Amino acid sequence: EALSRQMDSAYQQERLARKNGSGDWTEAADDALRTMFHRGVVLAQIAHHFNCKPGAVVARLKKLGCLSE
C-alpha cells in the first residue's frame, strides 16, 4: 500500500513535469515506466500517463533494455 502511494506520487510528478514541457526522463519516471511495462499496461495508456507519444515510450523502453532494437 505504501509503495503503491509512493509510485503514484512519482507518476503524478513526472506527468506534471512532462505536461509543462520537460522532456527529460527522470530516474523515478524510468522506474515507473519499467513497472508499468512489466505489469502489462497498454502502450497507449503508458503514453497518456506520461503525456507523450507512444513512439517516445517505445524509444525509452529500448534505451532501458526492456525492448530489443
Side-chain angles (χ1 to χ4, degrees):
E1 182 72 30
L3 177 60
S4 179
R5 282 194 306 266
Q6 186 179 24
M7 288 179 67
D8 285 345
S9 176
Y11 294 154
Q12 291 303 321
Q13 289 174 1
E14 182 61 28
R15 190 170 183 186
L16 285 174
R18 290 191 174 282
K19 188 174 184 178
N20 292 327
S22 172
D24 295 334
W25 287 87
T26 64
E27 187 175 336
D30 285 344
D31 290 343
L33 176 59
R34 282 187 201 96
T35 299
M36 293 175 83
F37 176 74
H38 290 299
R39 287 186 178 172
V41 177
V42 177
L43 178 61
Q45 290 176 324
I46 296 172
H48 177 75
H49 175 81
F50 288 106
N51 197 31
C52 63
K53 294 183 179 182
V57 173
V58 170
R60 191 62 182 181
L61 287 168
K62 287 179 180 178
K63 184 169 186 167
L64 295 173
C66 295
L67 293 174
S68 59
E69 293 291 325

